[in-house]
Amino acid sequence: MVALKWLLMLVGAGLFGSAGALVAYDIFLSEQLRRLLSRGKTDESGGEVGALARRPLRPVRWRLALQLTAAGALTLLVTESFVVIPDGAAGVRVSEIWGARPGTLYPGIHFVTPLVDSIAIYDTREQVYSTAAAENSKQKGDVLTVQAREGLNIGLAVSVRYRLDPKRLEAIHGNLPQPVGEQVVAPVISTIYRQLAPNFITREIFATRREELRSKAAELITLRLASDGIIVREVLLRDLQLPVEYAKGLEGLLLKEQENERLGTEQEIKQKEVKIAELEAEAQKSRDVKGAEAQAQVRVLQAKAEADAMQYTLPLKQKQIEQTKLEAQARKESTLQNAEAAAQAKIIDSKAELERQRNLSDAEANRIRVTAAADSERMKFEAAVLKSNPMLIQKIVAERLSDKLQIMMVPIDGKNFFANDVMRSAFSGVTGGRDSESSDDNPDDPAPKSTATAAAQRKQARRP
């Protein structure tokens, strides 16, 4: 509907403009033709030409212009006959004859009498009025300063949420100054806070009774503005601005009070710790007493139990002693029997050992006799062999000299052996030695020693 209203307004303005343009255009053409005729025609009867020049050649279309003007006026009247109230707003019908009419016009389209009635539109949404505690370029709003009981100036940052009562818009429009927020709400808020502040001292406003000041101010502001048709939703006290010197002194005082409270708290904690220690000592004492009593009762019960048990234990002990005596007697008798058996066994073992040693000695003597006979027989056999082969003893001696010697047996008188000459020269070189050694040896066997010496020399000559 708002678009339709604007469209009709544009159409009416266009019709008015068209009528004026049409009249102006016709007058312009007539003047142009009259000027041309007055310049181009010069006649003897100059008076008649001048009369024709003064007469318009084309009539002005006044009737069409009046019709366009009437159509435009009708369009504008239709436009003024209805009003569109947007969301979040309400209106009051105001008559040029009778003034504000009763009843509230809510959001939507409403018809009115053109040129007689008008609509005063008010915003019915919640609005916020805020003040600042001190002058600050970043924060917008009036500075609200109040005086406490001591006469000190305190800056208050207050915010009030309010809205207009739609049912009382007629009274608001007829009685309250406009705009309502600046002319009514702001003075009421500042006045009430300035009236309440002298009932409190600065320290109370800052610390303990701040909420009390806010609640009382909210109650009075709500009552005062409600009488004017303004509904208050909430009153907030955002911040306080104390005087600089007082703030420094109050800060020091608060620090001392905090220190005092801290010391008091620590003292209470110490007292509680002492009390707790006393209670713990008493509890420990009670536990110790009860523990001692319990132990005494346990010992009494144990003694009674032992006394009762002894009545049954003594006969059992006597029976155990008698049984122990019988067992000891039995062990003694068994020990004697075992000792006699062991003595007899030792006698038998000694006899058997003596017999065994006798048998061993006989066997050893027999072995010695047999060994001696065998050795005698072997020696006789070796003597016979050596006697028949005297060079054999040299071989045996050479083998026993070293395990690194290599022995080779060759005949001395071999005719076809290549080492005969060497052997003969070797034996001829050691002949003198063999003769000298033969005088020290057994005269019955001189040849074997000289032969062994020659064999040893031959072996040394063959070493690499």
Side-chain angles (χ1 to χ4, degrees):
M1 295 303 294
V2 176
L4 177 60
K5 183 175 181 178
W6 282 104
L7 179 61
L8 292 175
M9 292 178 66
L10 291 176
V11 171
L15 291 174
F16 277 113
S18 299
L22 181 62
V23 173
Y25 180 71
D26 290 341
I27 293 174
F28 174 75
L29 289 180
S30 299
E31 291 297 330
Q32 289 293 330
L33 289 174
R34 186 182 295 111
R35 187 178 296 108
L36 291 174
L37 291 174
S38 62
R39 291 178 182 177
K41 289 185 178 182
T42 56
D43 194 307
E44 294 180 353
S45 58
E48 293 180 0
V49 174
L52 291 174
R54 285 192 300 271
R55 188 177 62 185
L57 299 178
R58 182 179 180 179
V60 178
R61 290 172 289 183
W62 294 105
R63 184 175 181 179
L64 180 60
L66 290 175
Q67 291 176 355
L68 292 175
T69 303
L74 182 60
T75 303
L76 292 178
L77 287 175
V78 172
T79 303
E80 295 294 330
S81 64
F82 66 91
V83 177
V84 178
I85 298 177
D87 293 336
V92 177
R93 190 190 305 269
V94 180
S95 176
E96 298 293 337
I97 302 172
W98 297 283
R101 304 295 299 275
T104 301
L105 302 180
Y106 293 96
I109 185 170
H110 300 275
F111 292 96
V112 296
T113 303
L115 304 178
V116 177
D117 295 338
S118 63
I119 302 297
I121 298 176
Y122 291 90
D123 190 357
T124 56
R125 294 173 295 185
E126 288 189 359
Q127 304 179 36
V128 179
Y129 172 75
S130 298
T131 64
E135 293 183 359
N136 190 352
S137 59
K138 296 182 180 180
Q139 295 181 356
K140 296 181 179 180
D142 300 333
V143 178
L144 178 58
T145 304
V146 298
Q147 286 187 350
R149 185 180 300 175
E150 303 93 331
L152 296 175
N153 292 326
I154 302 174
L156 300 180
V158 179
S159 293
V160 179
R161 292 172 53 198
Y162 68 95
R163 61 187 294 264
L164 301 179
D165 188 1
K167 298 179 181 180
R168 302 181 61 183
L169 287 181
E170 179 187 354
I172 293 173
H173 180 77
N175 300 323
L176 298 182
Q178 302 298 327
V180 177
E182 296 180 1
Q183 300 296 328
V184 178
V185 177
V188 170
I189 293 172
S190 59
T191 301
I192 290 176
Y193 270 104
R194 288 191 176 101
Q195 289 175 356
L196 292 175
N199 298 326
F200 302 89
I201 62 176
T202 305
R203 185 177 177 183
E204 291 176 348
I205 296 175
F206 179 73
T208 58
R209 302 179 65 183
R210 180 175 180 175
E211 180 60 24
E212 181 181 354
L213 174 63
R214 188 204 66 80
S215 61
K216 288 184 178 181
E219 183 179 357
L220 293 176
I221 290 171
T222 302
L223 293 175
R224 183 75 60 83
L225 294 179
S227 62
D228 294 330
I230 300 173
I231 301 172
V232 178
R233 295 295 186 185
E234 188 178 9
V235 178
L236 301 176
L237 181 58
R238 303 193 318 274
D239 192 12
L240 294 174
Q241 184 69 32
L242 299 176
V244 179
E245 298 296 333
Y246 183 83
K248 291 181 180 179
L250 182 60
E251 183 178 359
L253 182 60
L254 291 175
L255 292 175
K256 290 182 180 180
E257 288 184 355
Q258 290 178 358
E259 183 68 18
N260 187 19
E261 291 178 357
R262 185 182 65 80
L263 293 176
T265 304
E266 291 180 355
Q267 184 178 1
E268 291 179 359
I269 292 172
K270 295 294 183 182
Q271 292 177 357
K272 290 181 180 179
E273 289 178 354
V274 171
K275 189 174 182 179
I276 291 171
E278 292 177 354
L279 294 175
E280 289 179 353
E282 292 179 359
Q284 185 65 31
K285 181 180 178 181
S286 301
R287 287 195 294 269
D288 294 339
V289 171
K290 291 181 179 180
E293 292 177 354
Q295 290 179 0
Q297 292 178 0
V298 169
R299 289 179 181 176
V300 171
L301 294 175
Q302 288 178 353
K304 289 181 179 180
E306 290 177 357
D308 295 337
M310 289 299 291
Q311 297 177 1
Y312 302 97
T313 304
L314 289 176
L316 181 61
K317 292 292 183 181
Q318 291 177 357
K319 291 181 180 180
Q320 290 179 353
I321 291 171
E322 292 177 358
Q323 184 178 359
T324 304
K325 289 180 180 180
L326 293 175
E327 291 177 354
Q329 186 67 26
R331 284 195 299 270
K332 182 178 179 182
E333 292 177 359
S334 63
T335 302
L336 291 174
Q337 292 177 1
N338 292 332
E340 291 177 357
Q344 292 177 2
K346 286 183 179 180
I347 292 171
I348 294 170
D349 290 340
S350 62
K351 289 180 180 181
E353 182 67 21
L354 182 61
E355 186 68 23
R356 187 181 67 80
Q357 289 180 359
R358 187 181 295 114
N359 293 331
L360 290 175
S361 62
D362 293 340
E364 183 67 20
N366 190 18
R367 187 185 66 78
I368 292 172
R369 285 193 299 271
V370 173
T371 303
D375 290 340
S376 177
E377 187 68 24
R378 183 179 58 78
M379 291 178 67
K380 289 179 181 181
F381 181 75
E382 289 179 355
V385 172
L386 292 174
K387 186 175 181 181
S388 61
N389 296 306
M391 293 298 293
L392 185 61
I393 191 171
Q394 296 179 3
K395 176 179 177 298
I396 295 171
V397 171
E399 288 178 350
R400 292 182 178 179
L401 289 177
S402 174
D403 57 351
K404 295 182 179 181
L405 296 177
Q406 295 180 358
I407 307 299
M408 184 175 64
M409 301 294 294
V410 296
I412 297 176
D413 55 353
K415 296 180 180 182
N416 296 321
F417 193 70
F418 71 92
N420 287 335
D421 297 334
V422 178
M423 294 296 181
R424 288 191 186 96
S425 61
F427 281 108
S428 63
V430 296
T431 303
R434 182 177 61 185
D435 294 338
S436 60
E437 292 176 356
S438 63
S439 59
D440 297 331
D441 296 335
N442 190 0
D444 296 331
D445 194 10
K449 290 184 179 180
S450 61
T451 305
T453 305
Q457 291 178 356
R458 285 197 300 271
K459 287 182 179 181
Q460 291 179 358
R462 292 191 192 115
R463 290 179 181 177

